[in-house]
Amino acid sequence: PASFAWYSSKMLGERLLEPEDAPESGTGAKLLLAHACTKLGSKAWEFATPLLLLHFTPHSLTAPTFFGLLIFLFRFIAGPSAGAWMDRTDRMRSISIGITLQAVGVIASLATLAMLSLTEQLLPSAPHFLLFAMVACGLSEALGALVSSVAVKKDWVAVLYARDGEASKSTVLASINSAMSYLDLSAEMLGPLAAGFVIQLFGDFGGFVAVGVVNIVSFVLELKLLRQIYATNISLSVPKAERPEPPQHAWASFARSWPLFIQQPSGVPLLVLSYAMLYVTALSPHGVVLTAYLQTRSLSPTLLSAFRAAGALSGVLGMAAFRLVTKFAPVRLVALVQLWMLAVSVAVAASVFSSSGIALEARGATPAMLVFLCAVVLSRFGLYGFDLGLLQLEQVCVDERYRNTVGAVESALTSFGTMLVLLMTLCISNQLQLFGVVVYVSAGFVSGGAFCYLAWYLLWHSHEHSHSHEHASATCLGVGDADSKGVLHLRHAHTNQQDRSFRENLDGKHTHLHFHPPFLHMWRHLFGHCSR
């Protein structure tokens, strides 16, 4: 096999050949089918659940909002601990437990629904203990969804298609990532559409039961497919690289996950932060907050549907553009361009919102409103392309020992961002003229994410360089060895797979992303005291 150095440089942007020793035939198709099943069912479930919760507070959004905030808070708190547990656990066992938690959450929700139906016939209002039971069911489903999603996208795909020493797999890696992103976007559209049709056809209770049953069937199918993949690909059953810390209490594991995340090489924390900041925004065509606000501006349901569909189409085109351009340009650069397209589009939307009176007197499909909507739609082109590039970079740069931990911390940060948006919206829910504050804060965080990624792009470089073997795993910040042109490098940490590849490479050279700021000579003077 080719060296990890060649693999890393190619993975970061050059066009590659097809693999000679790809995973077992049919693995990719089964992986995508399993992902499609669970995503479509989950999105339908996410759409149906808030509608059912309205039975607890018929004239208020309190129950759905309370439910949503608790789910995101739980994901923020439990996510890092779950990720650390997954990194210590056999892959098939962790994915089985994740899917089981989802199934238990859905089945218990259906049981709660049966009790709700019975009590509504006997009592004037639904008892609140059933609301708390529904929240508990939602927490189980959310934790299971986090485990199964992070495990497959961040770990399984990386193990199968991004292993060190197998450079030719990166075209397939990009294809798998793209297909999964297309499926995610399709599920965002088709899941709620299908759930809405079923609920309209069978009523609230009957529709909820139908969506739940289909969801349970999708879990069974997903687990069966993943078991087949696990059984036919020995790389998934190979024992994981040992982690330095033993299993811990949940809260200790939560606390330990954040330093592990921050210590990741290749600038991964800054990369993840740039992505997480994009979640602190209400400017999304399929977002509940913006859709609800636009309804108060007297936009027709037809226009809102077209707005949502246009956003999805823009995202599809953005992913297609990313795949096309990365055949000729580095992944990092293409992701940078598309992220700044997102930031500029959102800034234009905020500027139009501020200057045109949309927040106050403007109602209906005015020219300013249409420009605002078009800017939000265009932002999806940049977002989904960047999302694809970020996933590909993370699969290569994150230490294989901590893929699930980093993925879960990322999920916690994005959940926290969504919580902030919901809380801001709650604060101005009775003063819609202040919705502009939410728009401006959204634009600010998106711009902040773009600047974070720009900083990462400038400070972390990838080119061939050498180390003495005794310093291959050094973490001390100091002057290291030289690259092929004799330029000195700061000593930097390696991931487990980078270190393994380096030690197998007899010429003492390798290529990967490492901290190499343009002002290196200043860093040499500042940190030259760190012993070599």
Side-chain angles (χ1 to χ4, degrees):
S3 69
F4 185 76
W6 188 87
Y7 163 68
S8 296
S9 62
K10 297 294 183 182
M11 184 62 228
L12 292 168
E14 298 178 26
R15 193 173 184 178
L16 303 174
L17 300 174
E18 290 302 314
E20 297 177 357
D21 53 345
E24 191 71 23
S25 177
T27 293
K30 291 177 181 177
L31 202 59
L32 294 176
L33 181 58
H35 187 69
C37 289
T38 187
K39 274 294 179 183
L40 194 62
S42 292
K43 292 302 175 184
W45 183 258
E46 288 174 10
F47 176 83
T49 301
L51 299 181
L52 179 67
L53 291 172
L54 288 174
H55 284 267
F56 293 96
T57 54
H59 306 294
S60 169
L61 295 177
T62 301
T65 304
F66 174 72
F67 179 83
L69 285 173
L70 281 181
I71 292 295
F72 286 117
L73 179 62
F74 180 71
R75 286 168 64 95
F76 174 74
I77 294 174
S81 298
W85 168 78
M86 291 158 63
D87 280 326
R88 297 190 298 264
T89 307
D90 173 76
R91 290 186 174 91
M92 195 64 245
R93 182 168 181 264
S94 62
I95 204 79
S96 299
I97 291 175
I99 294 173
T100 300
L101 283 172
Q102 287 183 277
V104 168
V106 173
I107 293 171
S109 293
L110 296 180
T112 305
L113 173 64
M115 295 179 64
L116 176 63
S117 178
L118 180 63
T119 56
E120 283 192 338
Q121 299 175 17
L122 303 175
L123 301 174
S125 61
H128 284 88
F129 80 88
L130 289 181
L131 172 59
F132 291 113
M134 187 63 74
V135 169
C137 297
L139 296 180
S140 175
E141 197 279 334
L143 180 59
L146 184 148
V147 168
S148 57
S149 176
V150 168
V152 171
K153 293 187 75 171
K154 304 292 186 180
D155 187 35
W156 283 48
V157 172
V159 169
L160 290 168
Y161 299 104
R163 285 177 286 172
D164 56 304
E166 299 187 10
S168 55
K169 281 187 168 57
S170 55
T171 46
V172 185
L173 175 67
S175 299
I176 291 291
N177 287 338
S178 296
M180 283 190 167
S181 296
Y182 283 126
L183 290 172
D184 289 345
L185 194 56
S186 300
E188 287 279 1
M189 294 295 298
L190 298 178
L193 207 62
F197 175 77
V198 169
I199 290 173
Q200 185 173 4
L201 186 64
F202 297 107
D204 286 355
F205 287 157
F208 190 78
V209 170
V211 171
V213 170
V214 171
N215 221 6
I216 293 169
V217 172
S218 76
F219 296 148
V220 175
L221 181 58
E222 179 192 15
L223 185 57
K224 181 179 179 180
L225 290 167
L226 291 177
R227 284 187 182 279
Q228 291 176 0
I229 294 171
Y230 184 82
T232 55
N233 290 275
I234 194 171
S235 58
L236 291 171
S237 59
V238 171
K240 296 181 180 180
E242 290 187 8
R243 290 167 55 113
E245 77 281 355
Q248 303 167 345
H249 185 272
W251 282 108
S253 183
F254 172 83
R256 176 63 176 154
S257 296
W258 294 94
L260 285 174
F261 165 71
I262 293 170
Q263 293 166 11
Q264 284 294 300
S266 303
V268 167
L270 192 59
L271 187 63
V272 171
L273 179 62
S274 70
Y275 180 66
M277 292 181 74
L278 305 183
Y279 275 73
V280 190
T281 181
L283 301 181
S284 169
H286 62 264
V288 175
V289 171
L290 184 59
T291 300
Y293 176 77
L294 293 176
Q295 285 180 320
T296 70
R297 298 291 93 191
S298 303
L299 266 65
S300 68
T302 302
L303 180 57
L304 290 176
S305 298
F307 174 56
R308 185 167 183 149
L313 177 61
S314 179
V316 169
L317 294 176
M319 289 187 289
F322 176 87
R323 287 295 314 281
L324 177 64
V325 178
T326 50
K327 293 180 179 180
F328 314 102
V331 167
R332 296 204 315 147
L333 178 60
V334 178
L336 176 68
V337 171
Q338 290 201 271
L339 178 55
W340 276 96
M341 287 183 64
L342 165 64
V344 170
S345 298
V346 169
V348 169
S351 177
V352 171
F353 191 93
S354 172
S355 61
S356 62
I358 292 177
L360 300 174
E361 68 277 0
R363 286 183 175 273
T366 63
M369 176 62 80
L370 293 177
V371 172
F372 171 77
L373 297 181
C374 286
V376 175
V377 166
L378 184 60
S379 71
R380 302 296 95 179
F381 183 93
L383 174 65
Y384 283 98
F386 173 73
D387 181 77
L388 199 55
L390 178 104
L391 177 59
Q392 195 165 331
L393 289 167
E394 286 181 343
Q395 287 168 335
V396 173
C397 295
V398 175
D399 193 311
E400 63 186 3
R401 295 170 295 180
Y402 307 109
R403 281 177 179 146
N404 291 304
T405 298
V406 173
V409 168
E410 178 183 283
S411 178
L413 290 172
T414 56
S415 296
F416 184 73
T418 305
M419 279 176 52
L420 289 180
V421 174
L422 291 175
L423 289 172
M424 282 192 297
T425 306
L426 279 177
C427 290
I428 58 97
S429 58
N430 295 323
Q431 297 176 294
L432 291 179
Q433 68 274 18
L434 296 179
F435 188 75
V437 174
V438 178
V439 172
Y440 309 142
V441 171
S442 298
F445 270 93
V446 171
S447 297
F451 277 110
C452 277
Y453 184 85
L454 178 61
W456 176 80
Y457 182 86
L458 294 174
L459 295 176
W460 275 265
H461 290 205
S462 176
H463 40 252
E464 186 179 71
H465 58 282
S466 63
H467 305 270
S468 59
H469 277 272
E470 63 269 20
H471 294 147
S473 301
T475 58
C476 181
L477 184 60
V479 180
D481 297 284
D483 65 12
S484 57
K485 297 180 180 180
V487 177
L488 286 173
H489 286 245
L490 291 174
R491 191 177 306 156
H492 49 265
H494 292 136
T495 63
N496 194 60
Q497 58 269 33
Q498 289 166 357
D499 186 50
R500 180 173 61 244
S501 176
F502 174 80
R503 294 185 182 282
E504 293 171 354
N505 197 343
L506 298 179
D507 64 4
K509 296 179 180 179
H510 66 167
T511 303
H512 65 89
L513 277 170
H514 58 282
F515 187 62
H516 186 69
F519 40 88
L520 177 58
H521 291 293
M522 181 181 73
W523 281 81
R524 285 181 59 195
H525 289 296
L526 289 174
F527 298 103
H529 63 277
C530 197
S531 66
R532 305 179 76 185

